[in-house]
């Protein structure tokens, strides 16, 4: 498709960001005859959480939560077809692994990304404008390898820019070589060893925090450091994988959740954190095994786990850091001296700068978040007919399913059905045994 603002160059759908969700959208879109679709990402190639790509880590969802299978299991972009193409189907069959290695999932996604013709890497979207006279989105693109700038017109736009690493204020002020987010762990941990760090503190008790702690403990014999792991949560709690609770990550609950009042939704999200912020039980078991072995050794630097403990302040002290902590149950404050902090403090939604020209056209809630319909369309002022959709920035409107890989193909199918104006994909309606609204009376 040629560059420029010609009628022939108008896209039916443009996608910004190529993470797993827009990659899923692109894989499904590849089957839609006549659909003009492109996706853009400023990175040179697909890459998924490289700073946390531990060799031993598994995906927290089953392999059916790939890019397409829960909507189109016969797609050539399915994980099973990836196995066939790599001559690994029988080893996978015999392994009986429902949860695949994280690095295998990442390689599968990269395999798809390297073959889809609609993806444009090394291309950043610098600005989005709305052309009122034509009711189209105009995207300004910068090609990062050459610096050249072009424009694209699109009838609909899907935002999949993801979230950004979050550091709480107490740690953000001292971020640097020895205070960094867990997403950088594998890129930075060797530097801690080379610097002779003797004490490392991990803050945060989600899956990333648990994996970072486990990795530090496994490196302890070589590095010789003491490790402290603290969390403001009541404990180092597991993800809830029980079957009926998992139904809260299905489309059925997502539809119900979207219909609730915003205050109710915020209350529920706060109470349902074990659906998406806990630690998988396998990782907890591995950690406990390491702690037991550490106890038997008797000569290794200490390992300390501190639940219900929040970091209130961090100040430089003697070449390291002094953390002021607050204990939730007793209300007591204490000080902890450490030489490095790895913050597994999660990710926060971000408002892309390229949306600044159209911010006033978008409906925002009282907390500055997108107002999103059940069909994942961001509400805009009435005069805007061009579609604006979002992926993984609607936790507040769709619940715990929003960041779940298992919802990716479903959400992509909804968007593509809406953009094409027809049911290109059959969308499942029966996804839970529970009825989430009041009983019919």
């Amino acid at each position: 498709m040629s560059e420029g603002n010609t009628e022939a160059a108008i896209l039916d759908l443009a996608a910004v960001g190529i993470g797993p969700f827009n990659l899923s959208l692109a894989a499904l879109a590849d089957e839609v005859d006549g659909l003009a679709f492109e996706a853009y990402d400023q990175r040179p190639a697909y890459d998924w959480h490289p700073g946390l790509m531990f060799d031993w880590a598994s995906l927290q969802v089953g392999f059916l939560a790939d890019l397409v299978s829960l909507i189109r299991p016969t797609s050539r972009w399915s994980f099973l077809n990836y196995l066939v193409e790599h001559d690994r189907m029988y080893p996978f069959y015999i392994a009986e692994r429902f949860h695949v290695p994280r690095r295998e999932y990442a390689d599968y996604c990269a395999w798809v990304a390297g073959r889809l013709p609609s993806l444009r890497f090394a291309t950043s979207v610098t600005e989005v404008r709305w052309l009122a006279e034509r009711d189209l989105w105009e995207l300004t693109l910068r090609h990062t390898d050459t610096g050249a700038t072009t424009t694209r017109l699109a009838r609909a736009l899907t935002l999949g820019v993801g979230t950004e690493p979050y550091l709480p204020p107490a740690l953000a002020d001292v971020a640097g070589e020895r205070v960094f987010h867990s997403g950088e762990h594998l890129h930075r941990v060797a530097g801690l060893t080379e610097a002779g760090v003797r004490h490392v503190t991990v803050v945060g008790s989600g899956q990333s925090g648990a994996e970072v702690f486990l990795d530090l403990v496994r490196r302890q014999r070589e590095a010789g450091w003491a490790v402290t792991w603290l969390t403001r949560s009541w404990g180092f709690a597991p993800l809830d994988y029980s079957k009926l609770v998992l139904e809260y990550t299905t489309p059925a609950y997502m539809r119900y959740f979207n219909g609730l009042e915003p205050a109710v939704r915020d209350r529920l999200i706060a109470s349902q954190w074990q659906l998406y912020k806990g630690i998988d039980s396998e990782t907890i078991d591995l950690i406990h095994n390491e702690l037991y072995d550490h106890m038997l050794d008797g000569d290794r630097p200490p390992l300390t786990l501190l639940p219900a403990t929040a970091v209130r302040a961090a100040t430089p002290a003697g070449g390291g850091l002094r953390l002021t902590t607050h204990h939730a149950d007793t209300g007591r404050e204490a000080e902890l001296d450490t030489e490095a902090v790895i913050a597994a403090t999660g990710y926060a939604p971000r408002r892309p700068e390229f949306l600044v020209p159209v911010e006033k056209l978008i409906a925002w809630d009282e907390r500055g978040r997108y107002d999103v319909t059940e069909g994942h369309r961001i509400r805009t002022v009435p005069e805007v007919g061009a579609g604006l959709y979002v992926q993984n920035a609607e936790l507040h409107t769709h619940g715990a399913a929003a960041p779940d890989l298992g919802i990716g193909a479903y959400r992509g199918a909804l968007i593509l059905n809406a953009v094409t104006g027809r049911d290109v994909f059959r969308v499942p309606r029966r996804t839970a045994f529970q009825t989430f609204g009041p009983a019919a009376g």
Side-chain angles (χ1 to χ4, degrees):
M1 193 173 291
S2 62
E3 299 288 355
N5 294 337
T6 65
E7 199 68 30
I10 296 176
L11 300 171
D12 296 307
L13 178 62
V16 185
I18 307 176
F21 295 127
N22 268 348
L23 183 59
S24 172
L25 182 72
L28 291 172
D30 189 54
E31 294 192 23
V32 183
D33 292 337
L35 182 74
F37 171 85
E38 288 184 359
Y40 310 104
D41 197 293
Q42 63 184 355
R43 298 171 300 173
Y46 184 86
D47 205 359
W48 186 63
H49 295 306
L52 290 169
M53 198 55 63
F54 301 103
D55 290 345
W56 41 266
S58 296
L59 208 61
Q60 291 175 281
V61 294
F63 71 89
L64 287 175
D66 65 9
L67 300 172
V68 293
S69 289
L70 289 173
I71 287 293
R72 187 77 88 195
T74 56
S75 169
R76 62 175 174 151
W77 305 118
S78 71
F79 177 75
L80 289 181
N81 192 51
Y82 158 82
L83 293 176
V84 169
E85 292 290 326
H86 289 77
D87 196 23
R88 293 212 301 269
M89 180 61 87
Y90 265 86
F92 180 77
Y93 161 66
I94 293 171
E96 296 184 332
R97 300 182 73 166
F98 188 69
H99 294 90
V100 302
R102 191 181 298 164
R103 59 176 176 164
E104 185 174 31
Y105 175 80
D107 186 69
Y108 153 68
C109 288
W111 172 77
V112 174
R115 286 158 179 77
L116 282 172
S118 60
L119 306 187
R120 305 288 182 266
F121 288 100
T123 305
S124 63
V125 176
T126 60
E127 188 175 72
V128 171
R129 292 187 177 275
W130 177 60
L131 304 183
E133 67 281 4
R134 305 180 70 184
D135 195 21
L136 295 171
W137 300 114
E138 181 185 65
L139 287 69
T140 300
L141 310 175
R142 181 180 180 275
H143 303 275
T144 58
D145 51 351
T146 65
T149 299
T150 57
T151 59
R152 268 305 205 193
L153 299 181
R155 296 185 177 91
L157 179 63
T158 297
L159 307 178
V161 297
T163 53
E164 59 186 356
Y166 171 76
L167 287 178
L171 296 176
D173 291 340
V174 292
E177 288 299 315
R178 295 194 182 185
V179 179
F180 53 87
H181 192 268
S182 59
E184 302 178 66
H185 175 71
L186 289 177
H187 303 315
R188 305 281 290 273
V189 67
L192 300 182
T193 305
E194 293 167 1
V197 167
R198 311 307 295 171
H199 187 280
V200 185
T201 298
V202 180
V203 178
S205 61
Q207 183 68 20
S208 295
E211 291 175 355
V212 167
F213 177 76
L214 179 57
D215 185 59
L216 292 172
V217 174
R218 287 176 167 174
R219 295 173 187 263
Q220 191 184 43
R221 293 184 190 279
E222 175 187 355
W225 47 41
V227 185
T228 297
W229 185 19
L230 57 85
T231 177
R232 64 180 181 177
S233 301
W234 62 267
F236 300 93
L239 284 167
D240 195 335
Y241 275 161
S242 56
K243 303 303 182 187
L244 292 179
V245 169
L246 280 178
E247 289 195 340
Y248 285 75
T249 62
T250 62
Y253 185 74
M254 194 163 61
R255 290 191 297 270
Y256 163 74
F257 188 92
N258 184 254
L260 298 173
E261 293 295 321
V264 176
R265 296 193 304 232
D266 286 341
R267 174 176 59 79
L268 286 173
I269 281 296
S271 68
Q272 294 172 352
W273 61 271
Q274 278 185 264
L275 285 170
Y276 61 99
K277 285 187 177 181
I279 310 166
D280 70 52
S281 57
E282 180 181 354
T283 304
I284 291 176
D285 290 346
L286 291 173
I287 288 172
H288 196 271
N289 289 340
E290 291 290 341
L291 294 173
Y292 195 90
D293 289 344
H294 181 277
M295 176 185 66
L296 295 179
D297 290 342
D299 60 348
R300 288 160 63 185
L303 302 176
T304 307
L305 283 70
L306 298 172
T309 303
V311 176
R312 287 288 179 83
T315 55
L321 288 168
R322 179 159 295 161
L323 305 181
T324 301
T325 64
H326 177 267
H327 191 264
D329 299 337
T330 64
R332 294 176 57 185
E333 288 197 347
E335 292 184 339
L336 170 67
D337 289 331
T338 188
E339 294 178 40
V341 176
I342 304 175
T345 45
Y347 296 80
R350 57 192 175 102
R351 186 182 298 189
E353 290 186 9
F354 60 73
L355 287 182
V356 169
V358 296
E359 276 186 340
K360 293 182 179 179
L361 303 177
I362 294 172
W364 309 95
D365 70 8
E366 294 180 353
R367 295 172 61 177
R369 302 170 297 190
Y370 301 118
D371 185 3
V372 188
T373 70
E374 179 188 321
H376 305 276
R377 181 168 180 163
I378 299 173
R379 289 187 172 90
T380 55
V381 296
E383 53 266 36
V384 176
L388 182 60
Y389 299 88
V390 70
Q391 304 222 59
N392 194 20
E394 70 277 45
L395 180 71
H396 60 292
T397 58
H398 286 70
D404 194 289
L405 292 175
I407 212 69
Y410 173 85
R411 180 168 46 204
L414 288 183
I415 293 172
L416 289 168
N417 284 353
V419 168
T420 59
R422 64 187 193 276
D423 290 336
V424 179
F425 297 99
R426 182 181 181 275
V427 176
R429 300 299 294 179
R430 183 177 179 177
T431 58
F433 289 112
Q434 297 173 70
T435 299
F436 294 110

